[in-house]
Amino acid sequence: SPTGRCRVFDADGDGYVRSEGAGMFLLKDHDQALADGDTILAVVAGSTVNTDGHKQGLTVPNPDAQIALMHQVYEQAGIDPDEIDYLEAHGTGTAVGDPIETRAIGEALAKRRKTPLPIGSVKSNLGHLETASGVAGLAKALYSLRHREVPATIGIRRPNPRIAFDDWNLEVVTQARALKPEGRLVIGVNSFGFGGANAHVILES
């Protein structure tokens, strides 16, 4: 981005900003974590990866592959789209990627819900960690589960007109939003790799 910002879902989105970071997550069998008295930040309800296969170009995502990915992971986890409290999108702030991803989220999940699906992207706050970008999204999802609040996706002055938020039943979290105060929370995390790798993780409180 020549403006030095990841303007995620914004009409002025003109590319992403490179940033650096790393993260580490300890995974353990749930029964063993309980037996060991561990603090459990979240339960992984499901995770799936696929690849775009043949497509128009190296940097052009394949919406059909993204839709198939989300259908598969939520069906395997036995989670209905109405049960999702928030979805952390890949959301780079690029003119091509954002409309493709949001359409895929809409077709796979949001249009099957009674209420709009809240979405956002941590890249608006700290840039794109590239190969570690999924780490940042997962960290934000863990924060949101622990504090039962989703941080704001910032920098949206004018929604991207190529994203049909109403038609696709999507809503961007532009201010810190409290999640329901008790009961199970479900958060999905999208992350896509340069060249066509796609991943989705579902976390439960």
Side-chain angles (χ1 to χ4, degrees), residues 18-149:
R18 303 185 76 186
S19 58
E20 295 182 353
M24 185 181 295
F25 305 97
L26 176 64
L27 299 176
K28 185 183 277 191
D29 180 81
H30 185 255
D31 291 339
Q32 188 65 53
L34 290 174
D36 292 344
D38 292 328
T39 298
I40 300 173
L41 299 179
V43 175
V44 180
S47 63
T48 301
V49 296
N50 72 8
T51 58
D52 280 351
H54 179 75
K55 56 182 186 171
Q56 295 178 17
L58 186 66
T59 61
V60 181
N62 181 335
D64 294 333
Q66 294 183 13
I67 291 168
L69 179 86
M70 287 180 267
H71 275 156
Q72 180 183 350
V73 70
Y74 285 94
E75 287 174 7
Q76 288 178 345
I79 293 175
D80 186 89
D82 272 319
E83 298 177 79
I84 305 168
D85 293 285
Y86 171 72
L87 194 143
E88 174 69 8
H90 185 61
T92 58
T94 58
V96 173
D98 283 3
I100 289 175
E101 182 188 12
T102 48
R103 182 167 74 84
I105 295 170
E107 294 295 336
L109 302 170
K111 289 170 72 172
R112 297 161 56 200
R113 289 169 51 94
K114 298 181 182 71
T115 58
L117 176 61
I119 63 171
S121 172
V122 74
K123 292 179 183 66
S124 72
N125 305 82
L126 52 76
H128 193 335
L129 276 67
E130 298 184 342
T131 54
S133 64
V135 166
L138 199 60
K140 178 180 170 182
L142 289 170
Y143 172 97
S144 301
L145 289 174
R146 184 170 185 180
H147 297 279
R148 305 185 83 89
E149 180 182 84

